[in-house]
Amino acid sequence: MNSARSFTIARVIARLNVGGPATQAILMTEAFQKKGCRALLLTGEVSPGEGSMEPLARERGLQPIKINTLSRKISSGADLKSLWRLIRIFRHERPMIVHTHTAKAGTLGRLAAMVTGVPVRVHTFHGH
């Protein structure tokens, strides 16, 4: 690998609600883009009544890829749809690294990364 431009990093988070995990995911995605990487931010839906950090992402020049079925709530049907969508995205985008945040996104994102052969899988635990 000769440069940062030669690979894609996909960051997956269940939702961009107000808080540290969303802020970290947004700022890290922006930082990698500034270094010349192709950095993607994949996110689900913010629950009704929660504040959204999506405006911060857009202010930073990011265009989050929405996975409408991905949320904090456990739902076997929606979770399987989210997993399938992540698999399709990873097959199309071919990231070198998948970095997940939060429990749901961590489980589904790393599983999709394994299925599609993404060589580097990283998870950041939040809320200990």
Side-chain angles (χ1 to χ4, degrees):
M1 219 174 291
N2 295 335
S3 75
R5 292 186 194 283
S6 62
F7 72 92
T8 298
I9 180 169
R11 187 161 282 101
V12 185
I13 187 165
R15 65 202 203 285
L16 291 177
N17 64 314
V18 173
T23 302
Q24 184 184 44
I26 290 166
L27 296 179
M28 288 179 72
T29 303
E30 176 191 28
F32 276 94
Q33 284 185 352
K34 285 183 176 179
K35 292 285 186 186
C37 293
R38 184 162 177 269
L40 308 173
L41 179 60
L42 294 88
T43 183
E45 294 294 324
V46 174
S47 298
E50 286 187 304
S52 175
M53 297 291 285
E54 194 168 326
L56 176 64
R58 297 206 185 281
E59 285 173 19
R60 300 286 186 165
L62 304 177
Q63 298 298 318
I65 298 169
K66 296 296 282 235
I67 300 173
N68 296 333
T69 53
L70 182 58
S71 72
R72 184 175 188 214
K73 181 180 170 190
I74 295 174
S75 167
S76 57
D79 294 344
L80 285 172
K81 288 178 184 177
S82 298
L83 176 62
W84 180 243
R85 177 92 193 278
L86 287 167
I87 289 170
R88 288 192 333 241
I89 290 168
F90 294 166
R91 283 186 176 150
H92 181 261
E93 302 294 341
R94 304 184 56 78
M96 175 71 72
I97 301 169
V98 167
H99 182 180
T100 60
H101 299 263
T102 67
K104 172 76 74 72
T107 300
L108 297 177
R110 286 178 289 167
L111 183 56
M114 284 188 277
V115 167
T116 57
V118 175
V120 179
R121 299 175 296 271
V122 179
H123 180 72
T124 298
F125 292 91
H126 296 278
H128 289 279

